[in-house]
Amino acid sequence: MIQTQLYIDGRWQSPLEGGTRDILSPADESVIAQAAEGTRADAQIAIAAARRAFDGPWRQTTIRDRARLLNSIAALIDRDAEELARLESLNTGKTLTESRTDMGDIAATFRYFAGLVASESGAVNEAPHHVISRTLREPVGVCGLITPWNYPLLQAAWKIAPALGAGNTVIIKPSNLTPLTTHHFTKLIAELDLPAGVFNLVTGGAEVGAELAESRDVDLVSFTGGAFAGESIMKAATGNFKRIGLELGGKNPNIVFADADLDVAVDYALNAAFFHAGQVCSAGSRLMIEDSIYEAFVAKLAERLPRIAIGNGFHAETQMGPVQSAQQHEKILRMVQAGVAEGARLVYGGKRPEGDVYQKGYWLQPTLLADVTADMNIAKEEIFGPVVTAERFRSEDDALRAANDTPYGLAAAVWTRDLDKANRMSRALRFGTVWVNDYHPYFPEAPWGGYKASGIGRELARIGLDEYTELKHSYINLAPKAMGWFGA
Ligand code: NAD
């Protein structure tokens, strides 16, 4: 049985109050690990350790030291990639293929930020000859990093790599449903020669996250998760006006025009909606289809859904695993029923698959709700499960208005062969990412984040590093002389 501990001030330790939590397999509800369940008190000692480390010799590290550190982490991720991928699949239920892809992306994220950090040199500004004026980037300080359960280590990497690369100290708090890969990652960190307190792991629930958000000794909090917790973190952060980064939910329209390649668009629509059983913040869960191809598109989807192989993520033939928790399973079923009650047509799915192996665990059929209209709640609220809704639209304006009429703004996609239309739509859609004739790709080089209620700030890309820095204007007068402004 895997047992996890907290890692604070360079030492593995048990929570002060001795708390533990059973970690369940989403595939069969068996206990796969016992995780340390920290509390506010543990978060406080981790914050104090991170504060001391930030104010100590860690501040003297050079960009070369920190770039080397990120590259060393990437090498350790590569070394343990298979073990990490297996832990991620065990804990989240996602297929091993998906977890292996995640580990590759995580190592790439560390390498990308290593390169970026190494190229950081500040700027010398134009100024009078007796003055040296420089623009410098400095670390923000102590960073509280809070991550969700759907991409546990990937989301952590998007925060840890730029935070350490910029010279901050960190306390990471993964979701208490999925702490296993972040715990293993911390073992890799412990192999490296980092000063005590630079990297701290405090597993636990919302109270640990709340402490990170409220503490006046934390300078920045970066959170990925739902709107409810995001709102409370934003309010808590006002105590010391700490920097905040919020990556929140989405309701992402996947808009298919009649001139698109129908079979390709259907194929991608499946990937957009059912990859990782739809538990993706950018899932294409809201299909919008032009009127003239609507019936054909829905029919093609309906024909494909029963062929999706649902099963244990460790089996090679599995295409879709279970959802992650009992709570999520219940919520998704409730939302499907509510959608039907408000007039959506259940074309396929909406229940637990049949068969003995699916009776334990959090299994759901891929689900298609058709004839959805923009005013229905099912078209507006994030489902975060293997459910796609289909709406019809009659014109480009119609599609645009309905797609933008959501509090969210994370991602959208457009399918058309008309480049002018593709360009018009991608400019007019109010979303942080707009794909044309594709779905889901992201790169460390490109920014990730949402408009409106999908978040504040961006991760990845140069801006993803800049968010962990303060900008300083350093002005040095080399030959000060009396000014005489107020006379002699
Ligand atoms: P969640 O908000 O329930 O929890 C996220 C994290 O916050 C967990 O570690 C949790 O313990 C902690 N937390 C909960 N309440 C808190 C509080 N009051 N103060 C501080 N911390 C608190 O989210 P979840 O269910 O783990 O994740 C699913 C959500 O995450 C979805 O809405 C999804 O869209 C979103 N998400 C967004 C992105 C993105 O890039 N925008 C990526 C992945 C997931």
Side-chain angles (χ1 to χ4, degrees), residues 49-89:
R51 186 84 261 160
R52 280 193 305 278
F54 183 72
D55 294 333
W58 177 243
R59 283 288 279 286
Q60 310 307 322
T61 54
T62 63
I63 54 173
R64 251 176 252 107
D65 297 331
R66 299 197 301 269
R68 200 178 313 116
L69 168 69
L70 299 191
N71 279 322
S72 304
I73 294 174
L76 290 173
I77 300 273
D78 285 345
R79 188 197 72 190
D80 284 10
E82 187 60 19
E83 194 176 350
L84 281 163
R86 289 183 168 273
L87 275 177
E88 201 75 298
S89 284

Side-chain angles (χ1 to χ4, degrees), residues 146-149 173 209-210 223-226 232 248-249 281 382 384 448:
I146 305 170
T147 50
W149 49 260
K173 191 211 89 64
F223 167 82
T224 302
S232 107
L248 307 175
C281 50
E382 184 182 47
F384 222 60
W448 182 263

Side-chain angles (χ1 to χ4, degrees), residues 241-258:
F241 296 101
K242 59 173 64 70
R243 305 280 171 272
I244 55 168
L246 301 176
E247 293 290 342
L248 307 175
K251 186 73 183 181
N252 314 293
N254 186 10
I255 306 166
V256 188
F257 284 98

Side-chain angles (χ1 to χ4, degrees), residues 407-432:
Y408 294 111
L410 189 59
V414 178
W415 291 84
T416 176
R417 288 188 170 104
D418 177 342
L419 284 181
D420 191 22
K421 191 193 288 180
N423 184 45
R424 277 196 307 273
M425 288 295 287
S426 59
R427 294 300 301 270
L429 284 163
R430 306 262 306 143
F431 294 81

Side-chain angles (χ1 to χ4, degrees), residues 125-157:
N125 305 317
E126 176 61 24
H129 286 177
H130 64 286
V131 165
I132 298 176
S133 163
R134 289 177 298 162
T135 301
L136 303 172
R137 289 224 172 247
E138 297 187 344
V140 177
V142 175
C143 299
L145 312 177
I146 305 170
T147 50
W149 49 260
N150 61 334
Y151 282 89
L153 195 53
L154 186 73
Q155 298 296 340

Side-chain angles (χ1 to χ4, degrees), residues 250-251 285 327-346 350-351 364 367 369 372 376-389 408:
K251 186 73 183 181
S285 58
Q327 193 190 5
Q328 202 56 24
H329 189 259
E330 280 160 32
K331 181 191 140 194
I332 296 163
L333 285 175
R334 225 180 20 247
M335 287 188 78
V336 171
Q337 282 157 12
V340 171
E342 62 182 342
R345 174 166 61 93
L346 180 63
K351 55 183 183 352
L364 281 172
T367 298
L369 289 170
V372 168
M376 292 182 189
N377 284 328
I378 198 76
K380 292 181 185 159
E381 288 167 12
E382 184 182 47
I383 303 172
F384 222 60
V387 180
V388 67
T389 61
Y408 294 111

